[in-house]
Amino acid sequence: ADANWELHIKTVLQILKELDVNKPMLYVFNKTDKVSSIEQLSTKISKYQPHVLVNAVEKENLQPLIDYINNFT
């Protein structure tokens, strides 16, 4: 929903690098209900792995995140 989402990711990654944080990361893209085309979004976010798409408007839309966490090893 934020036009600057890629800048936000870049900023967070830079801060984590400066803090010497080297941990597994999951990109969670929220507010997918606000996106006009999931296909276009999927193309843009394909470089951010692993990732899940959610929208917190309805509980069942959090299932991809819950599934990922439950299967995390």
Side-chain angles (χ1 to χ4, degrees):
D2 188 330
N4 295 316
W5 64 271
E6 287 188 283
L7 179 60
H8 295 301
I9 291 173
K10 183 178 179 181
T11 301
V12 170
L13 291 175
Q14 183 61 40
I15 291 169
L16 291 172
K17 182 178 179 181
E18 290 171 7
L19 295 172
D20 200 28
V21 174
N22 188 17
K23 301 283 183 184
M25 183 174 359
L26 172 65
Y27 294 91
V28 178
F29 294 94
N30 190 19
K31 298 188 180 181
T32 57
D33 58 310
K34 304 287 186 190
V35 177
S36 59
S37 171
I38 293 293
E39 291 78 24
Q40 287 179 349
L41 177 63
S42 293
T43 300
K44 291 180 180 180
I45 65 172
S46 64
K47 62 184 171 184
Y48 302 107
Q49 297 293 332
H51 68 262
V52 294
L53 303 173
V54 299
N55 100 49
V57 173
E58 297 180 24
K59 185 178 177 180
E60 63 269 6
N61 294 323
L62 294 174
Q63 197 59 48
L65 177 58
I66 294 166
D67 292 343
Y68 185 90
I69 293 169
N70 286 336
N71 294 311
F72 183 76
T73 55

